[in-house]
């Protein structure tokens, strides 16, 4: 069964004094970028069956801006995505995919970039997107990976990177 994995890095966050990393809110730029990326996701011919969102404030706020463009999509906030390594995220993907076709994660770098780059087969998919992904995974960036096997078959180098889209590509919003 073909599967699709959508990896979204949280939108740009603020760094208020005295606020713990876990509790950092979105910055104004993030509040612009997240709905922009959500509108792009909403125009795709598919939607996620499930979205797993880091329990950190900035990821939950990112999803709150994206969710209106994907009505009816189930979301679960989970602590396990916060500060997770690529290996831990891969385990989560394998465990959570089940019978669904499209799974989405909203999380943090460096784990999101390392997972996306690690899963992508360099000989398949969009090579220019893979080159851009290897350099930088900007805030609110979205990587979409696909493979013909099921979730249990997801492994390093097993997926095609079909898309890597950033806020700048959609509307000129500066990104970090």
């Amino acid at each position: 069964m073909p599967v699709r994995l959508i990896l979204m890095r949280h939108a740009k966050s603020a760094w208020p004094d005295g606020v713990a990393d876990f509790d950092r809110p979105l910055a104004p730029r993030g509040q612009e970028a997240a709905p922009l990326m959500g509108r792009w996701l909403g125009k795709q011919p598919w939607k996620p069956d499930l979205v797993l969102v880091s329990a950190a404030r900035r990821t939950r706020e990112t999803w709150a801006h994206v969710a209106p463009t994907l009505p009816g999509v189930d979301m679960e906030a989970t602590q396990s995505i916060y500060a997770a390594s690529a290996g831990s995220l891969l385990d989560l993907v394998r465990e959570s995919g089940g019978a669904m076709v499209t799974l989405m994660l909203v999380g943090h770098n460096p784990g999101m970039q390392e997972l996306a780059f690690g899963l992508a087969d360099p000989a398949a998919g969009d090579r220019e997107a893979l080159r851009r992904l290897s350099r930088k995974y900007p805030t609110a960036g979205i990587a979409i990976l696909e493979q013909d096997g099921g979730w249990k078959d997801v492994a390093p180098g097993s997926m095609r990177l079909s898309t890597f889209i950033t806020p700048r590509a959609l509307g000129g919003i500066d990104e970090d």
Side-chain angles (χ1 to χ4, degrees):
M1 166 184 80
V3 296
R4 177 180 303 109
L5 178 62
I6 304 168
L7 300 175
M8 181 176 193
R9 183 177 175 202
H10 65 78
K12 179 70 176 167
S13 58
W15 294 84
D17 289 337
V19 174
D21 181 72
F22 188 83
D23 298 319
R24 290 190 296 123
L26 289 183
R29 196 168 81 205
Q31 293 172 7
E32 285 181 55
L36 175 70
M37 301 307 286
R39 287 189 296 276
W40 180 85
L41 275 172
K43 291 176 184 174
Q44 301 313 302
W46 37 257
K47 64 181 183 178
D49 299 300
L50 174 65
V51 180
L52 299 175
V53 178
S54 164
R57 180 176 175 184
R58 60 190 174 275
T59 48
R60 289 182 289 114
E61 288 183 3
T62 297
W63 175 247
H65 286 287
V66 172
T69 68
L70 298 169
V73 171
D74 290 330
M75 183 279 281
E76 293 176 19
T78 176
Q79 181 73 29
S80 63
I81 296 175
Y82 180 72
S85 68
S88 295
L89 292 171
L90 177 55
D91 290 343
L92 180 64
V93 166
R94 287 178 181 149
E95 293 165 8
S96 302
M100 68 187 73
V101 173
T102 304
L103 175 65
M104 179 174 176
L105 273 60
V106 182
H108 313 265
N109 258 3
M112 297 298 278
Q113 182 175 17
E114 291 170 357
L115 178 63
F117 189 73
L119 289 176
D121 177 349
D126 185 334
R127 291 184 180 147
E128 174 58 23
L130 184 60
R131 184 188 63 74
R132 287 185 290 108
L133 172 67
S134 72
R135 287 189 185 153
K136 185 177 184 181
Y137 201 130
T139 52
I142 296 173
I144 301 175
L145 299 116
E146 300 167 327
Q147 81 170 32
D148 296 327
W151 294 109
K152 299 291 183 193
D153 300 323
V154 172
S158 71
M159 301 188 85
R160 293 176 305 282
L161 178 66
S162 62
T163 305
F164 182 57
I165 190 84
T166 65
R168 179 173 288 158
L170 294 180
I173 294 174
D174 288 335
E175 49 196 44
D176 64 347

